[in-house]
Amino acid sequence: GKFLWSGSKKKKNGNRLSRSMGRGLRIILSAQLRATTTTTRGSAALRRPRLGGVSVARSRGTEESPRSLGRRWSGLGGSSEALERGTNKTLPDMLIACVGDVHGLWNRESEEALSWLQPDLSLFVGDFGEEDVELVAEVARVPERKAVILGNHDAWYSASPTRRGNSVALDGVEEQLDILGDDHVGLSAKTLPDLGLSVVGCRPFSKGGGDWKRFSKFYRQLYGLRNFDDSATQIVGNSFAEPEHHRLIFLGHNGPTGLGSSADSPCGLDFRPEEGDFGDRDMEDAIRAVLEKGRRVSLAVFGHMHERLHRFALPRTSRRMFHLDKSSGVAYVNCAVVPRIREAEGDPKATQHNFVLVTMTAALEVERVESVWLQKNQGDGSFERVETTEWYNRESG
């Protein structure tokens, strides 16, 4: 259909910093030492990442897990069965709804579509607007259980490298963080006991690439971070603070390095004539360090690098949005299908809404990943799937 476009222009990346094989071990040791200190995020200018604390998310208004509610989605109710830990109760597959870069395209009908899906968990990867506080407030009011991370557009003015002086005006950023509260997991984590997993947030407001210096004032003032290693250490420390039996989901605005250096890779540089890996090295380092210590990571979800490629990447036009690391079992999902709202063909009054759906088995392994477009039926208010693109199916490999 005709797209309602609200795109973003990405900037030139800096030189990628080299990594040594011993970095993962150094990050582990540093994180273990720093995780013994807990700092809380208050209203002061410095927002220290949570170290060693636990943010527990429960179902709203009921003790019943969303797993037992059933879904209005043909084919997504899992048939596999597994015993819930500590009980003789069998659990169905889990549905995670991922919302890619919003760029101003979120409305009441988007919220209705998400509610109709009845996911166990919703993940938002940010870029709601140029510090669009009102839109972030709308997302914060979404009743579905969710985890959110803010993107580079959400600090569009605050993190601008053209700002002068030693301090950064963070009013817009601070207001968004306060509105989202514990739902914002950037450099923090959300514990989901009834699902047996935890969402670990990576560095928020990421613009990708290897240039820390351009945004050093912003990250030092907001989080006290000096470099990528500081960021990776915080992420690892938060991972260790989660229950040992929990599977981990990593949530970032941008994805990690290490997923390929071609323009159509999940985090590939497509907006310059030269190709390269534009991922976040601190996210890769953190995931590697956590895996080296034996923690189980099921999924990493991110956005930022849009599915539709820049003209520099021609003749390639679409990005590869899924990657499975067979050695570790980690599934990497880029959900930045942009724009995420489009007009329906033949009916300019109707719109279609994109969601990336991740189905996980009761053993918390990724079973299927699909990009779907939903359109509202004006008669009964329900939604129908008008287009589906399957990115991964465990049965077909």
Side-chain angles (χ1 to χ4, degrees):
K2 180 181 177 182
F3 289 94
L4 304 176
W5 175 251
S6 176
S8 62
K9 184 177 180 181
K10 303 180 181 67
K11 303 294 183 181
K12 183 177 180 180
N13 66 315
N15 295 326
R16 178 177 174 179
L17 302 180
S18 62
R19 295 193 302 274
S20 66
M21 292 301 291
R23 173 173 287 135
L25 179 59
R26 292 200 304 273
I27 290 173
I28 289 172
L29 295 175
S30 180
Q32 288 174 328
L33 289 173
R34 297 179 71 170
T36 60
T37 302
T38 302
T39 56
T40 58
R41 199 190 83 183
S43 58
L46 180 62
R47 290 177 179 266
R48 294 285 187 184
R50 179 186 64 89
L51 296 176
V54 178
S55 172
V56 179
R58 299 180 176 85
S59 304
R60 296 166 309 284
T62 176
E63 295 181 356
E64 186 177 25
S65 166
R67 290 170 175 262
S68 64
L69 299 179
R71 303 187 184 97
R72 305 188 194 99
W73 188 260
S74 176
L76 287 183
S79 58
S80 62
E81 294 184 350
L83 291 180
E84 185 178 15
R85 292 184 182 88
T87 74
N88 59 359
K89 177 183 176 182
T90 59
L91 296 176
D93 289 354
M94 182 192 307
L95 178 63
I96 299 176
C98 305
V99 180
D101 298 29
V102 171
H103 291 299
L105 298 180
W106 180 266
N107 55 31
R108 176 62 180 172
E109 193 168 282
S110 301
E111 182 178 332
E112 292 173 355
L114 179 61
S115 178
W116 181 82
L117 285 170
Q118 295 185 351
D120 295 282
L121 176 64
S122 300
L123 301 176
F124 291 78
V125 299
D127 268 6
F128 297 106
E130 279 64 59
E131 301 192 23
D132 191 337
V133 174
E134 291 184 2
L135 193 150
V136 169
E138 292 180 20
V139 172
R141 290 191 291 267
V142 169
E144 275 64 41
R145 177 163 50 181
K146 59 188 177 293
V148 182
I149 191 164
L150 292 171
N152 59 299
H153 278 255
D154 304 311
W156 190 253
Y157 305 107
S158 299
S160 172
T162 62
R163 286 184 175 270
R164 304 294 182 182
N166 295 321
S167 63
V168 178
L170 298 173
D171 293 350
V173 166
E174 293 277 7
E175 192 169 355
Q176 292 174 87
L177 290 171
D178 289 338
I179 288 171
L180 291 168
D182 289 339
D183 284 335
H184 186 259
V185 297
L187 292 173
S188 185
K190 173 171 277 194
T191 310
L192 305 170
D194 61 320
L195 300 183
L197 60 81
S198 298
V199 180
V200 177
C202 298
R203 175 169 48 90
F205 310 108
S206 172
K207 198 175 181 62
D211 186 358
W212 181 272
K213 185 177 180 180
R214 292 184 68 204
F215 308 101
S216 59
K217 287 192 301 183
F218 173 79
Y219 282 115
R220 179 181 285 271
Q221 185 171 331
L222 189 62
Y223 290 114
L225 301 178
R226 300 166 298 176
N227 49 43
F228 288 111
D229 285 345
D230 273 3
S231 174
T233 298
Q234 304 289 8
I235 298 167
V236 174
N238 291 333
S239 302
F240 289 160
E242 294 304 301
E244 291 186 6
H245 66 277
H246 273 203
R247 286 286 191 114
L248 301 179
I249 294 176
F250 279 78
L251 181 64
H253 174 61
N254 190 36
T257 49
L259 302 183
S261 57
S262 63
D264 62 345
S265 298
C267 299
L269 177 62
D270 65 308
F271 47 89
R272 299 288 296 177
E274 68 274 12
E275 300 182 12
D277 190 340
F278 206 64
D280 290 349
R281 57 163 264 204
D282 48 343
M283 185 175 182
E284 180 190 5
D285 289 345
I287 293 175
R288 182 174 63 246
V290 168
L291 290 171
E292 287 176 357
K293 289 294 290 184
R295 294 300 301 263
R296 304 183 72 181
V297 180
S298 296
L299 179 66
V301 175
F302 51 90
H304 186 54
M305 305 303 284
H306 298 177
E307 181 184 37
R308 182 185 294 175
L309 295 176
H310 192 278
R311 64 180 181 275
F312 284 126
L314 288 173
R316 295 159 296 182
T317 59
S318 296
R319 186 180 303 279
R320 291 182 283 112
M321 305 295 277
F322 178 83
H323 175 81
L324 178 65
D325 185 342
K326 294 183 179 179
S327 62
S328 65
V330 181
Y332 295 87
V333 177
N334 180 347
C335 61
V337 178
V338 178
R340 63 163 308 277
I341 297 180
R342 67 187 186 187
E343 291 181 0
E345 290 186 8
D347 187 357
K349 294 183 179 180
T351 55
Q352 299 170 353
H353 305 257
N354 182 265
F355 297 90
V356 174
L357 304 181
V358 179
T359 308
M360 302 183 72
T361 68
L364 298 181
E365 296 176 346
V366 174
E367 183 174 47
R368 185 165 59 253
V369 181
E370 298 172 313
S371 171
V372 302
W373 290 91
L374 303 181
Q375 183 173 330
K376 187 174 184 178
N377 294 315
Q378 298 304 320
D380 59 5
S382 64
F383 287 81
E384 63 176 323
R385 175 177 54 183
V386 295
E387 182 181 328
T388 300
T389 304
E390 187 175 83
W391 291 353
Y392 173 74
N393 191 316
R394 190 181 180 191
E395 292 183 357
S396 58

